[in-house]
Amino acid sequence: METIFQQYIIENSNTDVYKNIYKTDIDKLHVSNRIKNVLKRNGIETIGDILDYPIQNLTKIKHFGDKSKRELSICLYVFVQTEIIRYRSNFITKGE
């Protein structure tokens, strides 16, 4: 089952910004250190790893409940939107 973010990335994967987002280390997300540590202990190192991880399985991870899922979802959304805006502003600035 695809997540909403995963579906969005797949639909727009022809652009470099989405490829870069997918490879971005989770340390770039503005989530609590506790969430980062829990994810890393479970082999999740990049945003792509998060997107590939079934959302229903995230809450099965020890010390990762609904509150953590909510925080991560919000931070992912903000990060993706920020990167898209940054990419588009660079694209416009360069006149491409």
Side-chain angles (χ1 to χ4, degrees):
M1 180 177 182
E2 291 179 352
T3 65
I4 292 170
F5 284 116
Q6 189 176 20
Q7 187 176 2
Y8 187 73
I9 296 288
I10 290 168
E11 290 171 0
N12 296 284
S13 62
N14 58 340
T15 62
D16 290 337
V17 67
Y18 295 101
K19 292 174 186 173
N20 290 336
I21 289 170
Y22 205 80
K23 293 187 267 181
T24 301
D25 193 279
I26 62 171
D27 288 327
K28 301 279 185 186
L29 291 175
H30 295 287
V31 294
S32 65
N33 287 331
R34 186 183 60 75
I35 291 176
K36 287 178 190 175
N37 292 335
V38 168
L39 292 173
K40 287 180 179 185
R41 274 195 301 268
N42 286 276
I44 300 171
E45 299 283 337
T46 65
I47 290 177
D49 293 338
I50 295 169
L51 297 175
D52 290 340
Y53 207 92
I55 195 76
Q56 65 272 19
N57 291 349
L58 277 176
T59 51
K60 293 178 183 177
I61 294 174
K62 189 175 182 177
H63 303 297
F64 196 94
D66 287 334
K67 187 176 175 183
S68 297
K69 186 172 81 172
R70 234 181 344 269
E71 180 183 338
L72 179 62
S73 295
I74 291 167
C75 290
L76 267 175
Y77 178 81
V78 170
F79 180 82
V80 169
Q81 294 305 314
T82 302
E83 290 301 304
I84 291 168
I85 291 168
R86 183 177 293 133
Y87 176 80
R88 288 182 179 162
S89 67
N90 287 339
F91 188 76
I92 292 169
T93 304
K94 291 179 183 178
E96 296 177 5

